[in-house]
Amino acid sequence: MKIALLGYGKMGKIIEKIALDRKHEIVLTTSQENLHDLTQENLQKADVAIEFSTPSTVLGNIEACFKAGLPVVVGTTGWHHETAQMKEQCAYHKGALLYATNFSVGVNIFFHVNKMLAKLMNNYPYYDVQVEEIHHTQKLDSPSGTAITIAEGIIDNLEAKAGWVNVLTTDDAADDANIPVDQLLIESLRIENVPGTHTVIYDSEVDTIEFKHTAHNRNGFALGAVLAAEWIQGKKGFYSVEDMFDFNK
Ligand SMILES: NC(=O)c1ccc[n+]([C@@H]2O[C@H](COP(=O)([O-])OP(=O)(O)OC[C@H]3O[C@@H](n4cnc5c(N)ncnc54)[C@H](O)[C@@H]3O)[C@@H](O)[C@H]2O)c1
Protein backbone atom coordinates (compact mmCIF):
# COMPACT_ATOMS: atom_id res chain seq x y z
CA MET A 1 0.00 0.00 0.00
CA LYS A 2 1.29 3.49 -0.85
CA ILE A 3 0.78 5.91 2.02
CA ALA A 4 0.80 9.74 2.23
CA LEU A 5 1.61 10.98 5.74
CA LEU A 6 0.01 14.40 6.36
CA GLY A 7 1.71 15.62 9.53
CA TYR A 8 5.21 14.36 10.22
CA GLY A 9 5.67 15.07 13.92
CA LYS A 10 5.88 12.66 16.85
CA MET A 11 3.03 10.47 15.56
CA GLY A 12 3.85 10.74 11.84
CA LYS A 13 7.38 9.43 12.43
CA ILE A 14 6.22 6.40 14.47
CA ILE A 15 3.51 5.65 11.89
CA GLU A 16 6.17 5.71 9.17
CA LYS A 17 8.25 3.11 11.01
CA ILE A 18 5.30 0.78 11.66
CA ALA A 19 4.03 1.16 8.06
CA LEU A 20 7.47 0.24 6.68
CA ASP A 21 7.65 -2.77 9.06
CA ARG A 22 4.30 -3.89 7.59
CA LYS A 23 5.80 -3.63 4.06
CA HIS A 24 3.96 -0.47 3.03
CA GLU A 25 5.59 2.39 1.12
CA ILE A 26 5.61 6.06 2.14
CA VAL A 27 5.20 8.14 -1.02
CA LEU A 28 4.61 11.59 0.55
CA THR A 29 5.20 13.28 3.90
CA THR A 30 4.01 16.81 4.61
CA SER A 31 4.61 19.07 7.58
CA GLN A 32 4.74 22.80 8.25
CA GLU A 33 8.13 22.92 6.47
CA ASN A 34 6.98 21.62 3.03
CA LEU A 35 3.33 22.61 2.61
CA HIS A 36 3.96 23.20 -1.14
CA ASP A 37 4.19 19.38 -1.54
CA LEU A 38 0.49 19.00 -0.70
CA THR A 39 -0.69 18.94 -4.32
CA GLN A 40 -3.42 16.87 -5.96
CA GLU A 41 -0.77 15.24 -8.16
CA ASN A 42 1.34 14.15 -5.16
CA LEU A 43 -1.69 12.92 -3.20
CA GLN A 44 -2.83 10.81 -6.14
CA LYS A 45 0.44 8.84 -6.00
CA ALA A 46 -0.85 7.28 -2.74
CA ASP A 47 -3.56 4.68 -2.01
CA VAL A 48 -4.40 6.23 1.35
CA ALA A 49 -3.49 9.22 3.54
CA ILE A 50 -2.87 9.16 7.29
CA GLU A 51 -3.45 12.58 8.89
CA PHE A 52 -1.83 13.47 12.24
CA SER A 53 -1.19 17.23 12.09
CA THR A 54 -2.77 20.02 14.18
CA PRO A 55 -6.35 21.08 15.04
CA SER A 56 -5.99 24.17 12.82
CA THR A 57 -4.71 22.31 9.73
CA VAL A 58 -6.64 19.03 9.79
CA LEU A 59 -9.76 20.22 7.94
CA GLY A 60 -7.79 21.64 4.99
CA ASN A 61 -5.85 18.38 4.72
CA ILE A 62 -9.04 16.28 4.78
CA GLU A 63 -10.59 18.41 2.03
CA ALA A 64 -7.43 18.06 -0.10
CA CYS A 65 -7.77 14.24 0.24
CA PHE A 66 -11.46 14.32 -0.71
CA LYS A 67 -10.67 16.43 -3.79
CA ALA A 68 -7.87 14.03 -4.79
CA GLY A 69 -10.20 11.01 -4.32
CA LEU A 70 -7.89 9.63 -1.62
CA PRO A 71 -9.22 7.72 1.43
CA VAL A 72 -8.01 9.35 4.63
CA VAL A 73 -7.44 8.07 8.17
CA VAL A 74 -7.55 10.94 10.67
CA GLY A 75 -5.98 10.89 14.12
CA THR A 76 -5.71 14.64 14.73
CA THR A 77 -8.00 15.71 17.57
CA GLY A 78 -9.54 19.08 18.47
CA TRP A 79 -12.08 19.38 15.59
CA HIS A 80 -15.13 17.64 17.11
CA HIS A 81 -17.37 20.70 16.41
CA GLU A 82 -16.77 20.23 12.67
CA THR A 83 -17.59 16.52 12.35
CA ALA A 84 -21.13 17.09 10.96
CA GLN A 85 -19.72 19.45 8.31
CA MET A 86 -16.98 16.97 7.35
CA LYS A 87 -19.54 14.14 7.07
CA GLU A 88 -21.41 16.28 4.53
CA GLN A 89 -18.17 17.02 2.64
CA CYS A 90 -17.34 13.31 2.63
CA ALA A 91 -20.75 12.45 1.14
CA TYR A 92 -20.51 15.31 -1.41
CA HIS A 93 -17.11 14.12 -2.68
CA LYS A 94 -18.04 10.40 -2.33
CA GLY A 95 -14.93 10.17 -0.16
CA ALA A 96 -13.74 7.76 2.52
CA LEU A 97 -12.69 8.87 5.99
CA LEU A 98 -12.05 7.02 9.23
CA TYR A 99 -11.65 9.17 12.34
CA ALA A 100 -10.56 8.05 15.78
CA THR A 101 -9.84 10.21 18.81
CA ASN A 102 -7.70 7.27 19.89
CA PHE A 103 -6.48 4.38 17.75
CA SER A 104 -5.15 2.11 20.49
CA VAL A 105 -6.84 -1.27 20.91
CA GLY A 106 -6.69 -0.90 24.71
CA VAL A 107 -8.46 2.46 24.68
CA ASN A 108 -11.15 1.15 22.35
CA ILE A 109 -11.79 -1.75 24.76
CA PHE A 110 -11.93 0.94 27.50
CA PHE A 111 -14.52 2.96 25.48
CA HIS A 112 -16.68 -0.14 25.13
CA VAL A 113 -16.57 -1.11 28.82
CA ASN A 114 -17.09 2.56 29.83
CA LYS A 115 -20.49 2.54 28.09
CA MET A 116 -21.49 -0.74 29.76
CA LEU A 117 -20.42 0.60 33.16
CA ALA A 118 -22.39 3.87 32.67
CA LYS A 119 -25.53 1.87 31.85
CA LEU A 120 -25.05 -0.26 34.98
CA MET A 121 -24.55 2.82 37.18
CA ASN A 122 -28.09 4.06 36.41
CA ASN A 123 -29.11 1.62 39.16
CA TYR A 124 -26.85 3.34 41.70
CA PRO A 125 -27.66 7.08 41.59
CA TYR A 126 -25.77 7.85 44.81
CA TYR A 127 -22.50 7.67 42.84
CA ASP A 128 -21.45 10.86 41.03
CA VAL A 129 -19.12 10.53 38.07
CA GLN A 130 -16.26 12.55 36.63
CA VAL A 131 -13.54 12.04 34.03
CA GLU A 132 -9.89 12.93 34.56
CA GLU A 133 -7.34 13.11 31.75
CA ILE A 134 -3.60 13.78 32.10
CA HIS A 135 -1.32 14.71 29.19
CA HIS A 136 2.01 16.38 28.47
CA THR A 137 2.13 20.19 28.50
CA GLN A 138 2.68 20.45 24.69
CA LYS A 139 -0.79 19.07 23.94
CA LEU A 140 -2.70 21.76 22.00
CA ASP A 141 -6.32 20.77 22.74
CA SER A 142 -8.21 20.22 25.99
CA PRO A 143 -10.04 18.15 26.92
CA SER A 144 -8.35 15.39 24.92
CA GLY A 145 -10.36 13.89 22.07
CA THR A 146 -10.22 10.61 24.00
CA ALA A 147 -11.78 12.26 27.07
CA ILE A 148 -14.59 13.66 24.89
CA THR A 149 -15.31 10.17 23.51
CA ILE A 150 -15.35 8.80 27.08
CA ALA A 151 -17.68 11.63 28.18
CA GLU A 152 -20.02 11.01 25.24
CA GLY A 153 -20.10 7.29 26.13
CA ILE A 154 -21.20 8.20 29.66
CA ILE A 155 -23.75 10.88 28.62
CA ASP A 156 -25.37 8.53 26.07
CA ASN A 157 -25.81 5.80 28.70
CA LEU A 158 -26.16 7.47 32.13
CA GLU A 159 -29.46 9.29 32.65
CA ALA A 160 -28.03 11.68 35.30
CA LYS A 161 -25.70 13.47 32.86
CA ALA A 162 -26.78 15.65 29.92
CA GLY A 163 -23.52 17.30 28.84
CA TRP A 164 -19.89 17.87 29.83
CA VAL A 165 -17.85 20.78 31.19
CA ASN A 166 -14.07 20.94 30.97
CA VAL A 167 -11.78 22.38 33.63
CA LEU A 168 -8.13 22.73 32.58
CA THR A 169 -5.69 22.74 35.48
CA THR A 170 -2.04 22.21 36.31
CA ASP A 171 -2.68 20.63 39.70
CA ASP A 172 -5.01 17.97 40.98
CA ALA A 173 -7.53 20.32 42.54
CA ALA A 174 -10.03 21.49 39.92
CA ASP A 175 -12.77 23.62 41.44
CA ASP A 176 -15.98 21.87 40.36
CA ALA A 177 -18.25 23.80 42.77
CA ASN A 178 -20.05 25.75 40.01
CA ILE A 179 -20.78 22.84 37.72
CA PRO A 180 -24.51 21.93 37.44
CA VAL A 181 -25.29 18.41 38.70
CA ASP A 182 -26.48 17.24 35.28
CA GLN A 183 -23.08 18.15 33.75
CA LEU A 184 -20.15 15.74 33.66
CA LEU A 185 -16.87 17.29 34.84
CA ILE A 186 -13.83 16.56 32.69
CA GLU A 187 -10.71 17.58 34.58
CA SER A 188 -7.75 18.07 32.18
CA LEU A 189 -4.36 18.06 33.87
CA ARG A 190 -1.24 19.15 31.97
CA ILE A 191 2.02 17.87 33.48
CA GLU A 192 5.55 17.66 32.01
CA ASN A 193 6.59 14.32 30.50
CA VAL A 194 3.66 12.10 31.42
CA PRO A 195 2.05 9.40 29.29
CA GLY A 196 -1.66 9.96 28.42
CA THR A 197 -3.92 8.79 31.24
CA HIS A 198 -7.73 8.67 31.34
CA THR A 199 -9.73 7.77 34.46
CA VAL A 200 -13.47 7.50 34.98
CA ILE A 201 -14.27 8.03 38.66
CA TYR A 202 -17.57 7.04 40.31
CA ASP A 203 -17.59 8.47 43.81
CA SER A 204 -20.05 7.98 46.68
CA GLU A 205 -19.96 8.74 50.40
CA VAL A 206 -18.78 5.21 51.16
CA ASP A 207 -16.36 4.36 48.36
CA THR A 208 -14.81 5.24 44.99
CA ILE A 209 -14.68 3.16 41.82
CA GLU A 210 -11.88 4.11 39.41
CA PHE A 211 -11.63 2.79 35.86
CA LYS A 212 -8.31 3.81 34.32
CA HIS A 213 -6.27 3.53 31.11
CA THR A 214 -2.61 4.54 30.93
CA ALA A 215 -0.70 4.68 27.63
CA HIS A 216 2.95 3.63 28.05
CA ASN A 217 4.04 5.03 24.66
CA ARG A 218 2.64 6.09 21.26
CA ASN A 219 3.16 2.80 19.38
CA GLY A 220 -0.38 1.53 20.02
CA PHE A 221 -1.91 4.65 18.41
CA ALA A 222 0.38 4.37 15.40
CA LEU A 223 -0.30 0.66 14.81
CA GLY A 224 -4.07 1.30 15.00
CA ALA A 225 -3.77 4.08 12.41
CA VAL A 226 -1.90 1.80 9.99
CA LEU A 227 -4.48 -0.99 10.54
CA ALA A 228 -7.20 1.58 9.78
CA ALA A 229 -5.42 2.57 6.55
CA GLU A 230 -5.43 -1.12 5.53
CA TRP A 231 -9.10 -1.49 6.59
CA ILE A 232 -10.43 1.53 4.64
CA GLN A 233 -9.13 0.32 1.27
CA GLY A 234 -12.02 -0.01 -1.20
CA LYS A 235 -14.58 1.59 1.18
CA LYS A 236 -16.61 4.81 0.78
CA GLY A 237 -18.18 6.78 3.62
CA PHE A 238 -17.48 8.35 7.01
CA TYR A 239 -16.36 5.77 9.57
CA SER A 240 -15.42 5.78 13.20
CA VAL A 241 -12.90 3.44 14.75
CA GLU A 242 -15.81 1.45 16.23
CA ASP A 243 -16.58 0.24 12.70
CA MET A 244 -13.11 -1.31 12.62
CA PHE A 245 -12.98 -2.67 16.20
CA ASP A 246 -16.39 -4.35 16.26
CA PHE A 247 -16.68 -5.49 19.91
CA ASN A 248 -20.34 -6.52 19.50
CA LYS A 249 -19.42 -9.55 17.39
N1 LIG B 1 -6.02 9.52 17.44
C1 LIG B 1 -4.95 9.08 18.13
O1 LIG B 1 -4.82 7.88 18.43
C2 LIG B 1 -3.89 10.07 18.52
C3 LIG B 1 -2.75 9.68 19.23
C4 LIG B 1 -1.76 10.62 19.49
C5 LIG B 1 -1.91 11.94 19.06
N2 LIG B 1 -3.05 12.30 18.40
C6 LIG B 1 -3.24 13.65 17.84
O2 LIG B 1 -2.51 13.72 16.61
C7 LIG B 1 -2.10 15.07 16.38
C8 LIG B 1 -0.59 15.12 16.12
O3 LIG B 1 0.09 14.66 17.26
P1 LIG B 1 1.70 14.69 17.33
O4 LIG B 1 2.01 14.25 18.71
O5 LIG B 1 2.29 13.98 16.16
O6 LIG B 1 1.97 16.28 17.17
P2 LIG B 1 3.31 17.01 16.72
O7 LIG B 1 3.18 18.42 17.20
O8 LIG B 1 4.51 16.22 17.12
O9 LIG B 1 3.23 16.99 15.11
C9 LIG B 1 2.36 17.78 14.35
C10 LIG B 1 2.94 17.87 12.94
O10 LIG B 1 2.00 18.54 12.09
C11 LIG B 1 2.76 19.32 11.19
N3 LIG B 1 1.92 20.30 10.51
C12 LIG B 1 1.62 21.59 10.84
N4 LIG B 1 0.83 22.13 9.89
C13 LIG B 1 0.64 21.16 8.94
C14 LIG B 1 -0.08 21.09 7.72
N5 LIG B 1 -0.78 22.14 7.25
N6 LIG B 1 -0.05 19.94 7.01
C15 LIG B 1 0.65 18.86 7.46
N7 LIG B 1 1.34 18.88 8.61
C16 LIG B 1 1.34 20.01 9.33
C17 LIG B 1 3.86 19.92 12.06
O11 LIG B 1 4.93 20.42 11.25
C18 LIG B 1 4.25 18.68 12.86
O12 LIG B 1 5.18 17.91 12.12
C19 LIG B 1 -2.58 15.86 17.60
O13 LIG B 1 -3.85 16.43 17.31
C20 LIG B 1 -2.74 14.79 18.68
O14 LIG B 1 -3.70 15.15 19.67
C21 LIG B 1 -4.02 11.39 18.12
Side-chain angles (χ1 to χ4, degrees):
M1 212 167 59
K2 293 183 171 145
I3 300 177
L5 290 179
L6 310 184
Y8 193 52
K10 292 185 281 299
M11 284 302 301
K13 292 189 175 100
I14 302 170
I15 291 167
E16 177 180 49
K17 187 179 173 307
I18 289 176
L20 294 175
D21 286 349
R22 292 178 69 83
K23 309 286 176 239
H24 300 306
E25 194 185 335
I26 307 298
V27 293
L28 174 69
T29 57
T30 65
S31 68
Q32 207 160 15
E33 287 74 44
N34 67 329
L35 293 177
H36 53 273
D37 285 338
L38 187 82
T39 62
Q40 193 145 331
E41 196 190 345
N42 280 342
L43 285 173
Q44 284 171 344
K45 290 177 187 157
D47 301 311
V48 63
I50 303 182
E51 212 287 348
F52 279 72
S53 67
T54 71
S56 62
T57 53
V58 56
L59 299 183
N61 283 338
I62 294 173
E63 281 182 43
C65 291
F66 286 162
K67 284 183 185 153
L70 190 64
V72 57
V73 167
V74 182
T76 303
T77 52
W79 58 284
H80 61 283
H81 294 303
E82 325 293 336
T83 28
Q85 185 207 330
M86 292 323 278
K87 261 184 206 170
E88 279 174 24
Q89 288 273 333
C90 185
Y92 176 78
H93 289 285
K94 297 189 172 56
L97 182 151
L98 186 148
Y99 170 52
T101 56
N102 196 308
F103 276 103
S104 97
V105 176
V107 162
N108 282 281
I109 294 169
F110 186 97
F111 287 159
H112 187 68
V113 177
N114 172 55
K115 289 184 200 169
M116 292 163 63
L117 180 59
K119 203 170 266 179
L120 173 78
M121 294 310 282
N122 283 313
N123 299 323
Y124 309 100
Y126 38 86
Y127 283 91
D128 197 12
V129 59
Q130 77 171 63
V131 176
E132 183 186 274
E133 59 106 333
I134 309 176
H135 282 89
H136 51 85
T137 45
Q138 294 83 41
K139 185 161 177 60
L140 296 179
D141 50 326
S142 85
S144 68
T146 304
I148 294 174
T149 305
I150 292 168
E152 286 171 348
I154 295 170
I155 292 160
D156 289 348
N157 290 285
L158 186 72
E159 285 154 23
K161 298 293 174 189
W164 56 264
V165 175
N166 183 235
V167 176
L168 177 63
T169 169
T170 50
D171 60 41
D172 200 359
D175 180 6
D176 59 353
N178 296 320
I179 293 172
V181 285
D182 70 340
Q183 297 296 301
L184 172 64
L185 171 68
I186 306 178
E187 192 179 301
S188 302
L189 280 158
R190 294 292 171 263
I191 300 174
E192 289 292 340
N193 299 324
V194 291
T197 300
H198 293 87
T199 313
V200 177
I201 304 160
Y202 286 90
D203 193 35
S204 78
E205 271 187 17
V206 293
D207 60 7
T208 302
I209 305 166
E210 289 194 352
F211 180 47
K212 180 173 181 177
H213 179 274
T214 305
H216 298 313
N217 55 50
R218 293 182 172 84
N219 294 1
F221 310 130
L223 174 62
V226 175
L227 292 175
E230 293 168 3
W231 182 90
I232 206 169
Q233 291 300 296
K235 295 189 173 66
K236 295 274 177 221
F238 192 101
Y239 299 97
S240 88
V241 74
E242 284 179 23
D243 298 310
M244 186 172 79
F245 295 121
D246 185 358
F247 296 118
N248 292 315
K249 272 195 284 197

